[in-house]
Amino acid sequence: MPGQTSPFGDRLRALRRAAGLTMEQLAERSGVSARAISDMERGHSRAPQTRTLAALADGLGLDGDARSGLTAAAKNARSASAAGRPRLCEPPRGVADFVGRQAELEIVRHAAKHAVEGNDLSPVLVVHGQPGLGKTALAVRAANELRDDFPDGCMYVDLRGVDATPLTVGDALLRLLRALGVRPDQIADNDDERCAHLRGILRDRRCLLVLDNAGSEAQVWPLLPAGGRCLVVVTSRRALSGLEGVLRIALRPLAPEESAGLLRSIAVQAGDPRAASQVNRVTELCGHLPLALRIAGTRLASRPQWSVGHLVDRLADAGRRLAALAAGDTAVATAFALSYTQLPPPTAQLFRRLAHVPAADFAPPLAATLIEAALPDAQDRLEDLVEVGLLQTEGVDRYRFHDLIRLYADERLRAEEPPGVQAETTERMNTWLLDTVVVAGRWYEPGYGGLPDGWAGLAPLATLEEADAWLRAEVDNWLPALRTAAAERRHQLVADVAAATRWYSESTLRWLIWYEVRRMARAAADALPDRRQQAFHTTLYATTAVYLMGLYEEAAEAAMEAYQLAQSIGDLQEQARALNAAGAAWLNLRRFDDALWAHRTGCELSDRAGDHAGFADHVVGVGYALEYLGHYDEAVVEFQRAVTELDRRPVAARPALLARAGAMYGVASSFDRAGRHEESLRAVERALPVLIENRDDDMVAFALVLRGKARAALGQPAEARADLTRALEMLADSLPSRLGDEARAMLPTLDDTGPAEARADLTRALEALADSLSSRLETEARATRAILDGTDPA
């Protein structure tokens, strides 16, 4: 009732008047606001906590019995207030099996310590992330753990930000004021006065506020303390980037071991050690999302007759997974739907159409293609999806779905868009991807190296570096598009893509995808009536089979098929290209005379065709054939001839670099095979900058092996060890090779004692193997000892 006071308020008023002080004067002496003193004297707020009470007593000059009496009155007032009033805004019950989030909890603890120690502004934490990550569970866990540090109240308000009707600011203020002990008749009718009242009370209190499920900054801002020793934890699917001066905690899915721990804490079947692999599979199918894991665990726990394998079977079907992740009135799809239904129609359209994207991640240009929108519009919609937790950022300018949200997007796509529209969208996406591959790949073509006149595509392809970046970033999108084109018998498009990426593939030799691309292109060309394209793509296939896959017999057969096709139409240049692939295959098959014939014939054909780059390649091939035949001096002459021809003939930059790298490496390799280590070392040093510029990691690694071998033979074991170690690291994902085997055999023999001791070690090893079956290690040991002896390892 109006005019009602409290025993503490009466005592405080009496002491103030006895001291001859006004409220303003006591406020100045104590540091407690005059508004707070007025509220305490009139019984509008609880009695103060220890720090505020001590400040008031000091301001009043109290000691002895007077100070003890005021302290007792405050304690009685707090006890009576707590006992006589229902506890409003009490946090919900936490989960007993809470797992993980230790780093995030530590951030909250640190902020709580900062709040208790007092500062000008109360700390505000925003815990944000996609639906189902356990934001509320984290906030409630922190509140229950820290409530003793905030004796004036631990209050929780669900702002219902993703509901159709969120909690209004006025209602949230009303709940908090009542929880703080303000009588309904003392609460103003308008939000501005309620907001000021709340801030005034919180300035002198130590409270922890959990504002759960915020939908916007406008819901949160009026509820924040202006100062004092309070802590506020806000949870939201949005980052609430409009709030200034707050600390944001972005939640991610649980770590795999945490996911498994959560599942085991819910369902006893998951605790069986024999089910460990199946438990891990369940966590993967749930995307390590806490909500999904809890539902899956609950379903398993409520069905004792099930094994974890039963659960795996029910979750394995992607089309039924979301339906399986529902228990009672809780479902993963429902959590996603709360955000989806709030999206504006254009953003909702983008969300569901992103389910067309085959790869895990994508960039704005692809999104713009899906919805036929300008790039800035697509970027804005992607950011809107990130803001509501339906999309995740990946690096600087890429995005990705959580696996379960992707399934939900696909579910909405199938439910809301007719099959015809879906087919049109897929075709538009695939056509754009493959058209862009052609433009990007042709940056690498000799004599091309630029964008088509008037080209205004969405992807950034203004430089060769941008073209490379796009081809790498989008490979998991454009390769499925190419597969689709091949399945749909769009033969010319498949052939065009393979032709456009011919030179780019020289810069990415380790991409195993090129074998599939060339195989599809060869099949497409065979279905076309153009024998020139058939010869071209058969040669490309043969080249890839040699250098990427090591399929030498298959490569030689395909190369000769291409050679005969080219002969039938009188295409000299294509004949020469086919013989280049055949020569490389025969070298690896140790058919050295055949390889020498192929490259010498190829030199003649290339020269007649005016193909200067092809001519230089074949001269290099002649050098390698001679080297492998043991004619090392002749080989060096041919390699040097190739360099000379490259200097005088008009060869485009990229093929010139490729041929020069091969020739300069060949000089070093020939000297190595001849046991001329000083010359080999000098040749490697000259070749390495060119090899590095050429970006062929395998050839750089082989050069390092040659340098390591030379250094070992010249008494530099430490330097040799460094070269060989680095080379083997670079060759870790490459095809087996003679030089790789030699490097592995040499490394254990290298120490600071030099080559003589290494030779002794190898000799003893060979003596021990004298009565054994032949082995790879024995072969490597013999080769290495030959190197140390300065003889031909062959």
Side-chain angles (χ1 to χ4, degrees):
M1 293 183 299
Q4 180 179 353
T5 61
S6 68
F8 173 78
D10 292 341
R11 180 180 289 269
L12 178 61
R13 184 186 300 107
L15 289 169
R16 176 178 59 78
R17 288 175 177 174
L21 298 174
T22 65
M23 290 183 186
E24 289 74 17
Q25 289 170 329
L26 178 56
E28 184 176 352
R29 289 189 179 190
S30 66
V32 179
S33 70
R35 172 64 182 271
I37 294 171
S38 174
D39 284 348
M40 283 185 269
E41 288 187 1
R42 292 182 297 157
H44 289 181
S45 65
R46 296 182 191 179
Q49 293 300 312
T50 304
R51 183 180 175 187
T52 303
L53 185 63
L56 289 171
D58 290 343
L60 291 167
L62 301 181
D63 57 16
D65 292 342
R67 193 178 189 103
S68 299
L70 185 64
T71 301
K75 182 177 180 181
N76 291 335
R78 286 196 295 268
S79 299
S81 175
R85 186 185 68 255
R87 297 176 66 87
L88 304 176
C89 295
E90 183 70 10
R93 182 174 182 267
V95 293
D97 47 18
F98 187 89
V99 300
R101 308 301 191 202
Q102 292 308 306
E104 292 85 354
L105 282 171
E106 190 56 37
I107 294 173
V108 182
R109 294 183 192 113
H110 182 75
K113 181 180 178 182
H114 189 57
V116 170
E117 290 174 350
N119 72 328
D120 292 335
L121 287 176
S122 299
V124 178
L125 304 177
V126 176
V127 181
H128 64 95
Q130 68 188 52
L133 281 172
K135 300 180 290 294
T136 298
L138 173 64
V140 171
R141 178 79 169 193
N144 288 330
E145 178 183 314
L146 298 169
R147 65 188 309 145
D148 289 344
D149 294 333
F150 297 94
D152 290 329
C154 179
M155 294 170 288
Y156 169 93
V157 179
D158 184 357
L159 299 177
R160 303 200 307 269
V162 293
D163 287 8
T165 307
L167 186 70
T168 66
V169 170
D171 285 346
L173 287 165
L174 177 63
R175 294 184 185 189
L176 288 171
L177 287 168
R178 291 192 62 196
L180 288 165
V182 181
R183 298 195 308 271
D185 62 298
Q186 295 171 335
I187 297 176
D189 292 330
N190 68 77
D191 291 351
D192 288 341
E193 290 188 27
R194 290 180 179 180
C195 181
H197 196 175
L198 178 66
R199 287 174 180 163
I201 294 174
L202 292 178
R203 183 177 293 278
D204 298 303
R205 302 285 181 89
R206 244 164 69 186
C207 295
L208 192 159
L209 274 63
V210 176
L211 305 177
D212 193 23
N213 198 14
S216 66
E217 293 87 344
Q219 265 194 311
V220 174
W221 184 253
L223 310 180
L224 301 182
R229 295 189 294 163
C230 295
L231 174 66
V232 183
V233 180
V234 183
T235 74
S236 178
R237 297 185 180 193
R238 302 174 180 268
L240 302 181
S241 51
L243 291 180
E244 298 178 354
V246 305
L247 178 63
R248 291 178 174 81
I249 301 176
L251 286 195
R252 297 285 183 260
L254 294 174
E257 61 274 12
E258 294 171 340
S259 297
L262 178 56
L263 201 63
R264 292 187 184 105
S265 70
I266 299 172
V268 66
Q269 301 98 308
D272 187 342
R274 294 170 298 179
S277 62
Q278 293 172 324
V279 167
N280 291 337
R281 181 57 180 153
V282 171
T283 65
E284 292 170 1
L285 293 171
C286 289
H288 305 289
L289 195 68
L291 176 61
L293 290 162
R294 287 194 176 280
I295 293 172
T298 300
R299 292 200 70 187
L300 189 57
S302 64
R303 294 163 175 79
Q305 71 278 17
W306 278 17
S307 67
V308 183
H310 283 92
L311 185 59
V312 171
D313 292 341
R314 281 159 175 75
L315 296 176
D317 182 354
R320 294 286 305 157
R321 192 173 307 154
L322 289 179
L325 289 173
D329 58 358
T330 303
V332 169
T334 302
F336 300 155
L338 289 171
S339 291
Y340 178 72
T341 55
Q342 291 192 335
L343 297 175
T347 307
Q349 180 193 61
L350 174 60
F351 171 76
R352 57 182 179 265
R353 287 190 178 180
L354 286 171
H356 285 289
V357 179
D361 60 296
F362 47 85
L366 184 52
T369 301
L370 291 170
I371 56 175
E372 299 179 279
L375 187 58
D377 291 341
Q379 290 170 324
D380 289 344
R381 294 182 199 177
L382 289 169
E383 287 301 314
D384 288 343
L385 290 172
V386 172
E387 183 69 12
V388 298
L390 291 177
L391 209 58
Q392 303 168 19
T393 55
E394 182 83 359
V396 177
D397 61 351
R398 298 186 71 78
Y399 301 84
R400 69 183 301 135
F401 278 128
H402 183 275
D403 290 347
L404 295 179
I405 296 181
R406 181 190 182 90
L407 293 179
Y408 180 74
D410 185 65
E411 187 178 278
R412 299 324 310 154
L413 177 69
R414 298 178 187 281
E416 298 182 36
E417 298 201 4
V421 173
Q422 294 180 47
E424 290 173 6
T425 303
T426 299
E427 182 177 359
R428 182 170 61 252
M429 175 186 70
N430 287 343
T431 299
W432 177 81
L433 283 166
L434 297 181
D435 286 348
T436 308
V437 170
V438 169
V439 173
R442 283 181 174 161
W443 263 105
Y444 289 78
E445 288 186 15
Y448 186 82
L451 293 171
D453 293 339
W455 189 82
L458 291 169
L461 301 176
T463 65
L464 182 141
E465 290 74 21
E466 286 186 343
D468 173 58
W470 187 88
L471 286 164
R472 289 176 185 273
E474 298 293 350
V475 62
D476 290 335
N477 286 318
W478 63 255
L479 182 58
L482 187 65
R483 291 173 182 142
T484 299
E488 294 175 349
R489 303 179 66 80
R490 299 171 68 181
H491 302 308
Q492 192 58 61
L493 178 58
V494 174
D496 288 346
V497 169
T501 55
R502 169 196 170 190
W503 288 100
Y504 179 67
S505 67
E506 298 286 351
S507 300
T508 49
L509 283 175
R510 291 190 183 180
W511 281 18
L512 295 180
I513 67 161
W514 294 126
Y515 182 68
E516 181 183 2
V517 170
R518 306 304 182 221
R519 188 176 60 204
M520 288 189 288
R522 182 187 183 187
D526 285 346
L528 295 170
D530 187 345
R531 282 189 290 173
R532 192 174 303 276
Q533 287 196 73
Q534 292 173 18
F536 175 85
H537 286 291
T538 304
T539 298
L540 265 187
Y541 175 79
T543 303
T544 306
V546 170
Y547 291 110
L548 181 66
M549 304 302 293
L551 302 173
Y552 305 124
E553 293 282 5
E554 183 178 326
E557 182 180 342
M560 292 311 294
E561 179 185 331
Y563 174 65
Q564 292 162 5
L565 276 168
Q567 275 187 318
S568 71
I569 56 176
D571 189 331
L572 299 179
Q573 183 177 14
E574 197 58 51
Q575 290 177 55
R577 287 183 60 244
L579 288 177
N580 206 341
W586 284 331
L587 278 178
N588 284 281
L589 291 169
R590 306 186 66 81
R591 293 169 57 179
F592 302 137
D593 289 323
D594 289 338
L596 185 61
W597 167 83
H599 287 302
R600 281 180 169 163
T601 305
C603 282
E604 178 189 348
L605 292 168
S606 297
D607 208 25
R608 287 169 54 195
D611 180 3
H612 302 297
F615 176 81
D617 282 342
H618 276 294
V619 175
V620 173
V622 169
Y624 279 114
L626 290 169
E627 177 191 336
Y628 282 32
L629 284 166
H631 306 316
Y632 304 124
D633 289 337
E634 294 177 57
V636 169
V637 169
E638 290 298 321
F639 290 132
Q640 292 172 339
R641 175 191 173 205
V643 173
T644 301
E645 293 292 338
L646 287 168
D647 289 337
R648 76 178 188 85
R649 289 176 180 251
V651 181
R654 180 62 190 162
L657 179 62
L658 285 168
R660 191 178 303 275
M664 294 182 74
Y665 174 84
V667 172
S669 178
S670 294
F671 284 139
D672 170 76
R673 285 175 177 267
R676 294 155 64 177
H677 303 300
E678 290 185 359
E679 292 169 285
S680 177
L681 184 59
R682 287 195 295 270
V684 170
E685 296 288 6
R686 288 193 296 269
L688 268 172
V690 179
L691 300 177
I692 292 169
E693 182 185 358
N694 187 44
R695 297 182 181 181
D696 183 344
D697 289 345
D698 282 359
M699 191 169 280
V700 172
F702 293 152
L704 290 175
V705 175
L706 295 183
R707 189 169 71 176
K709 290 169 63 179
R711 285 173 163 175
L714 295 170
Q716 302 171 28
E719 293 84 351
R721 187 187 308 110
D723 281 340
L724 298 177
T725 301
R726 177 62 183 140
L728 289 175
E729 290 172 354
M730 297 178 69
L731 292 169
D733 298 324
S734 300
L735 292 170
S737 62
R738 176 184 63 85
L739 285 173
D741 288 343
E742 288 183 14
R744 274 182 285 273
M746 284 186 69
L747 264 178
T749 73
L750 292 173
D751 56 35
D752 295 334
T753 57
E757 288 78 2
R759 188 183 301 109
D761 287 342
L762 291 170
T763 300
R764 283 193 296 271
L766 288 171
E767 290 172 353
L769 291 168
D771 297 325
S772 303
L773 295 173
S774 60
S775 67
R776 182 174 65 86
L777 285 175
E778 180 182 357
T779 302
E780 292 172 1
R782 293 185 187 282
T784 305
R785 190 175 67 175
I787 293 166
L788 295 173
D789 289 339
T791 60
D792 181 1

